[in-house]
Amino acid sequence: MASLSLPAQLVRTARFTHGAPAQFTVSGDGAALLYLRGRTGDDPAPCLWLLDLDTGAERLLADPVRLTGDAARPRGIEAYGTDRAARLVAFALAGALWTVRVGGGEPLRLPARRPVADPRPDPTGRRIAYLRKGALCVIRADGTEERVLAEPSDPDIEFGAAEHTSATLPDGPRGHWWSPDGTALLCARTDNRRVRRWYSTDPATPDSPPEVHRYATAGTPNPDVSLWLAPLDGRLIPVRWDRGAFEYVVGAGWDVHGPFAVVQSRDQCTVRFLAIDPADGRTTVLHEQRDAHWVQLVTGLPVRTASGALLSHADLRGTRHLAVDGEPVTPAGFQLRAVLGADGDDVLFTGSDEPTETHLWSWSRAAGPRRLSAGAGLHGGVRRGGTLVRTTLDAEGPGGHAEVLRAQRPALPVPSYAERPVLEVRRTPLRLGPRELRADLYLPSWHRPEHGRLPVLLDPYGGAATQRVTAAHDWKDLLSQWFAEQGFAVLVADGRGTPGRGPDWERSVHGDLLGPVLDDQVTALHAVARRHPVLDLDRVGIRGWSFSGSLAALAVLRRPDVFHAAVAGAGVTDQRLYHAHWRERFLGHPDEYPERYDACSLLGEAHGSPARCC
């Protein structure tokens, strides 16, 4: 009966994220740690906390329920920003701008006009930049001198936001960055006027007017994204590069060496790292990467160290290396995952020599690459001032755990109140078929040989950018086990295109996003059935959402000899209707490669298919 309550627990805990600490920031002196966390495992309103690393004492800096006075509809602090020393914290709550001083005192609501979004203190702590209805605004930290630095001339134009920077920035998409001295900003301007309009209605209120959305699908015009320098004297200086050839802004920032940008061609085969002259916006190409299929965007790259060394990645002979000034510094067979930051010239990054595990590493010229984590799992972290916060997701449960490591001191755990799952995961790790597909098999805890053979449910994701099979137990694994408890043998397999096995593996789906993935699912199914005769291949189903929703529908349409039922949610039926940047990476421009889009069309597969849908 306990397994029947898992769906309710997933909802109540927001998939076990409530009560788990997140978004860590180490203070400039390495003696304190900031993070967000709810008070309990089902608290939907994250609070801002400080952990004193010398005493181990935790202090509540900002309680959103108390600040808003709305306990009936609690809204939490979703993100925050700090100055360089991490003494001033700014966050948006219920559309208002708030600050709190780490050294003491109550949170202060500044008189900034609402709604406020994405507040960022300048490195010196004197001012705060934020977004309001497409405008980039600045206010002094004491709440005075609020003013608009850049204001859009049209509702379809916005300053300070850049969608595609999420591919390279460790803290998610951003569109405005302070200079180190706090006297200017680099900001993005996004013009959506040429992007196609889409209309949607609410079935619950059919008499309401449709909502209008701007969405760039494959082959259609993208938003026009430019970059601007915005000194506090009110000027706007355009950043100049060949925007016709490089229309995607996939990264930007402002370090001690100056402002920079990462731009990408529409076909995604070329990426350039540009240095920006802060005086007049001229750009210089510091680094260029090319690939015949696509240049993979790696989180945290390219970036410069304190001494000016350029960090990038190099895909060579099946291995994704960390490269410093163009030279690979990690060994063959070790796959770089992400660069998490550079503390001076010491680089913190993650990588894998086994795709189901991700470990934490550092690199410096003096020491070379050094592994900082142990044990099977998915490891990450942040480091500053000699203080390392190491995070781990492993088989202990989806909440994970974090600990602070400092020289000559015992490890200090970061308090977590994430709930324990009501269900125990029982899975068998497998390597299947000639490609050694990583897979997990989930069986019912109650099943015995005398109960007979089990119907099979495939529960993959299978697509690029997402793994299902890892050494960690997350909420998706629990859900697979929950389905198993209902009387299924559940198989989860990662096929071609998934991360962690190197650039050649990722690019094996170029030109055909679905075919190789479906073939790998069939291979995994037959291989596991040979090892486990309890699987009944006369009763095979598949379920999925998003990419795996498309995969599930394709499975019963293309291979009804193997798959007898499918549950497909939010699948893309016509790939021309999906997001341009993501879909063109794999299939190219539909005007140039229409046959690729036709081959991946579920509508085309449905024509004449013997499968029946209900």
Side-chain angles (χ1 to χ4, degrees):
M1 293 298 292
S3 64
L4 297 179
S5 67
L6 177 68
Q9 189 183 32
L10 288 173
V11 172
R12 191 179 70 251
T13 64
R15 300 170 179 171
F16 300 97
T17 59
H18 292 336
Q23 298 187 40
F24 299 104
T25 300
V26 179
S27 63
D29 58 7
L33 179 67
L34 297 168
Y35 48 91
L36 299 178
R37 194 202 62 224
R39 291 178 177 274
T40 64
D42 60 357
D43 180 2
C47 303
L48 177 65
W49 302 84
L50 179 140
L51 185 64
D52 186 315
L53 303 184
D54 291 326
T55 66
E58 186 181 57
R59 178 159 55 94
L60 178 61
L61 293 181
D63 179 351
V65 173
R66 186 174 65 84
L67 296 179
T68 62
D70 190 353
R73 295 179 302 166
R75 285 171 285 189
I77 302 170
E78 301 298 331
Y80 66 94
T82 75
D83 61 358
R84 184 187 296 114
R87 295 193 183 99
L88 174 69
V89 184
F91 57 91
L93 180 62
L97 176 60
W98 293 80
T99 62
V100 63
R101 299 282 178 176
V102 169
E106 291 294 312
L108 176 66
R109 187 174 70 183
L110 301 190
R113 286 175 290 172
R114 302 187 185 194
V116 168
D118 198 16
R120 303 275 176 172
D122 80 73
T124 69
R126 296 191 301 262
R127 296 177 178 87
I128 301 165
Y130 59 93
L131 310 181
R132 184 181 67 242
K133 294 183 177 180
L136 175 64
C137 307
V138 172
I139 192 170
R140 292 190 67 89
D142 62 5
T144 62
E145 297 183 19
E146 180 188 20
R147 55 198 173 108
V148 177
L149 286 186
E151 190 165 21
S153 58
D154 187 277
D156 285 318
I157 298 175
E158 61 178 337
F159 284 93
E163 172 189 1
H164 296 115
T165 57
S166 60
T168 61
L169 299 183
D171 55 352
R174 288 182 59 185
H176 59 290
W177 302 267
W178 279 104
S179 64
D181 63 2
T183 62
L185 288 120
L186 173 67
C187 73
R189 176 185 182 271
T190 301
D191 185 344
N192 287 294
R193 287 177 294 183
R194 68 182 185 181
V195 178
R196 179 178 292 179
R197 289 184 176 93
W198 298 82
Y199 301 87
S200 63
T201 58
D202 183 357
T205 56
D207 58 339
S208 61
E211 294 186 10
V212 182
H213 307 274
R214 298 282 191 173
Y215 186 74
T217 57
T220 67
N222 275 309
D224 180 15
V225 181
S226 54
L227 290 172
W228 298 73
L229 295 161
L232 296 181
D233 60 14
R235 291 176 296 150
L236 283 177
I237 304 169
V239 176
R240 300 192 296 274
W241 76 93
D242 186 351
R243 290 170 51 216
F246 294 88
E247 63 181 85
Y248 289 121
V249 176
V250 294
W254 200 323
D255 58 23
V256 295
H257 309 289
F260 62 87
V262 186
V263 297
Q264 181 186 51
S265 59
R266 173 93 189 220
D267 65 9
Q268 304 187 44
C269 293
T270 308
V271 171
R272 286 180 173 175
F273 182 78
L274 307 176
I276 302 170
D277 188 324
D280 59 14
R282 289 182 299 173
T283 58
T284 303
V285 179
L286 296 183
H287 183 67
E288 180 175 280
Q289 292 176 275
R290 293 178 179 269
D291 188 89
H293 297 93
W294 73 80
V295 175
Q296 184 71 19
L297 300 175
V298 176
T299 299
L301 293 176
V303 72
R304 294 176 287 197
T305 66
S307 64
L310 178 63
L311 306 178
S312 63
H313 73 278
D315 291 348
L316 302 171
R317 295 176 291 280
T319 296
R320 175 158 298 135
H321 299 267
L322 174 66
V324 180
D325 290 330
E327 293 297 321
V329 296
T330 49
F334 174 88
Q335 307 296 345
L336 175 70
R337 293 295 194 109
V339 169
L340 305 179
D343 188 10
D345 288 327
D346 203 339
V347 184
L348 189 68
F349 64 99
T350 57
S352 303
D353 44 24
E354 158 56 42
T356 60
E357 300 180 16
T358 299
H359 284 278
L360 188 63
W361 289 73
S362 71
W363 178 90
S364 66
R365 291 193 184 277
R370 294 183 299 120
R371 184 162 144 173
L372 305 178
S373 59
L378 305 180
H379 303 272
V382 298
R383 181 169 57 187
R384 191 178 185 196
T387 296
L388 173 66
V389 182
R390 185 172 60 199
T391 61
T392 300
L393 294 170
D394 55 21
E396 292 185 10
H401 55 274
E403 57 184 352
V404 181
L405 304 173
R406 295 195 291 171
Q408 312 302 320
R409 294 175 182 266
L412 177 64
V414 181
S416 173
Y417 302 126
E419 285 192 9
R420 296 293 302 173
V422 298
L423 188 65
E424 181 182 351
V425 172
R426 302 169 182 268
R427 67 181 184 184
T428 302
L430 300 164
R431 297 188 182 190
L432 302 173
R435 295 188 181 89
E436 293 194 327
L437 303 171
R438 300 320 195 256
D440 288 325
L441 178 64
Y442 301 79
L443 297 175
S445 60
W446 48 263
H447 186 263
R448 301 293 181 269
E450 59 269 21
H451 294 151
R453 301 169 75 193
L454 291 167
V456 186
L457 175 64
L458 273 68
D459 190 17
Y461 181 77
T466 300
Q467 286 178 269
R468 277 293 320 274
V469 183
T470 72
H473 285 180
D474 66 10
W475 69 271
K476 302 183 193 73
D477 302 302
L478 288 159
L479 196 56
S480 294
Q481 185 66 51
W482 183 84
F483 276 109
E485 297 300 329
Q486 314 313 309
F488 293 92
V490 178
L491 177 65
V492 178
D494 284 346
R496 280 169 283 180
T498 52
R501 295 189 65 169
D504 295 347
W505 183 264
E506 292 171 350
R507 295 185 175 108
S508 60
V509 296
H510 185 258
D512 186 357
L513 193 58
L514 291 169
V517 179
L518 178 59
D519 291 344
D520 286 343
Q521 295 300 314
V522 174
T523 295
L525 172 66
H526 290 159
V528 75
R530 287 191 290 269
R531 300 188 194 182
H532 297 270
V534 70
L535 275 64
D536 185 352
L537 295 188
D538 291 329
R539 295 181 292 164
V540 177
I542 182 171
R543 67 176 290 269
W545 184 268
S546 187
F547 178 88
S548 53
S550 300
L551 181 62
L554 180 68
V556 292
L557 292 171
R558 186 177 291 182
R559 295 300 305 270
D561 57 317
V562 176
F563 299 95
H564 312 109
V567 178
V572 180
T573 54
D574 183 348
Q575 303 302 324
R576 291 177 175 85
L577 300 179
Y578 202 64
H579 193 255
H581 187 251
W582 188 243
R583 192 51 74 238
E584 290 177 17
R585 176 178 302 180
F586 305 99
L587 300 182
H589 197 288
D591 291 349
E592 297 181 44
Y593 303 100
E595 72 283 356
R596 295 177 180 175
Y597 286 82
D598 292 339
C600 292
S601 170
L602 299 183
L603 300 177
E605 293 284 344
H607 179 69
S609 171
R612 293 184 297 173
C613 299
C614 59

